[in-house]
Amino acid sequence: MDSAAGTTAPLRIGLLGTGPWARNTQAPALAAHPGVELSGVWGRRAEAADALAAAHGTRAYTGEEGIDALLETSDAVAFALPPDVQAPLAVRAAEAGCHILMDKPVATTVEGARAVADAVERAGVASVVFCTLRFAPETSAWIAEQAAVDGWFTARAQWLGSLYAEGSTSEYADSPWRREKGGLWDVGPHALSVLIPVLGDVEHLTAARGPSDTTHLILRHTSGASSTVTLGLSAPPGAAGVEIEFRGERGTASIPGWDGAETAFRGAVDALAEAVRTGVPHACDARFGLHLTELLVAAETQAQAD
């Protein structure tokens, strides 16, 4: 608390990454957040870091020494990097005493994700994993409402993108890790982050491949309910879309629309700040991120053996 001003000092958050996700969502959200000071931008390419930092009135960092310098001037760091680049840097940030705001998935290996969760616990820092629907105001409120209802029987989640469909011009299609890992890893965390708080943890999982990168999941939850999930990034544009629906004793509930990723990311920043202030872990923390990776690894292993 700033005793002179009587107000809480801004949370200094550095940004690691300069790609489309950093440019389009994270940097604008951090720079505009009234409770945040964007303490700097780190990038592997100096010219990209310079451009993004200049656009938001902050300092650019690059190289190994730049990571350490940014950590020294930050209370927390946000990541806009491929998952298996993110994970070891998140460990490094936690060990430096920085709170961490990670993108999903935390890592694509259980070992990588566990290293992050363990580092967070050892350091006593706060952590949040950005699963969009858990932080967008419209969907987070809806999820909490459904979690308070008993008697769910089954659920259906379908998240189909057209990122790799013929004619796609999305700049996110240039992401090597998304092309390699597909919809299971890119959008699977979103679907699971909605189903688990409502139906309970997954106690049994079956996975099978569909067309292109599509993966189908059948899940049995601790509540006794079951769910089916379809995930992919290569659907024809006319087939793309997001649908999540619960069915139970009180009828049917379908997820509402939400107002874009930047608004949701601001919600994740607020959640991190609250966890820092109270010391109470958020439900979507590094430990939850580890669990998501465990489920996705199990699903990938089954689907590849199919």
Side-chain angles (χ1 to χ4, degrees), residues 77-250:
V77 286
F79 293 87
L81 296 167
D84 294 326
V85 176
Q86 168 182 248
L89 290 178
V91 171
R92 186 168 166 181
E95 290 175 344
C98 289
H99 310 290
I100 54 177
L101 176 48
M102 294 167 286
D103 201 11
K104 53 74 209 163
V106 169
T108 66
T109 67
V110 172
E111 294 77 14
R114 182 174 292 118
V116 175
D118 289 348
V120 164
E121 290 184 4
R122 285 195 306 270
V125 298
S127 62
V128 165
V129 179
F130 182 47
C131 296
T132 304
L133 301 183
R134 294 292 289 272
F135 299 101
E138 305 88 345
T139 53
S140 62
W142 180 84
I143 293 166
E145 181 182 347
Q146 309 322 310
V149 174
D150 292 326
W152 292 118
F153 183 69
T154 191
R156 175 180 61 86
Q158 182 169 278
W159 196 306
L160 291 173
S162 56
L163 197 65
Y164 298 121
E166 185 176 354
S168 170
T169 59
S170 172
E171 58 186 338
Y172 295 101
D174 294 331
S175 166
W177 84 264
R178 282 188 178 87
R179 186 172 292 277
E180 176 190 354
K181 305 300 281 187
L184 174 67
W185 284 92
D186 189 29
V187 297
H190 293 313
L192 291 169
S193 76
V194 175
L195 295 171
I196 289 172
V198 178
L199 302 182
D201 201 2
V202 176
E203 61 180 17
H204 186 268
L205 178 154
T206 302
R209 292 180 296 182
S212 191
D213 76 308
T214 304
T215 302
H216 301 283
L217 308 178
I218 302 173
L219 310 176
R220 186 173 67 238
H221 298 265
T222 53
S223 65
S226 63
S227 64
T228 60
V229 186
T230 299
L231 309 163
L233 299 176
S234 303
V242 177
E243 298 177 5
I244 302 178
E245 175 187 84
F246 294 96
R247 290 178 175 267
E249 295 172 358
R250 303 191 187 186

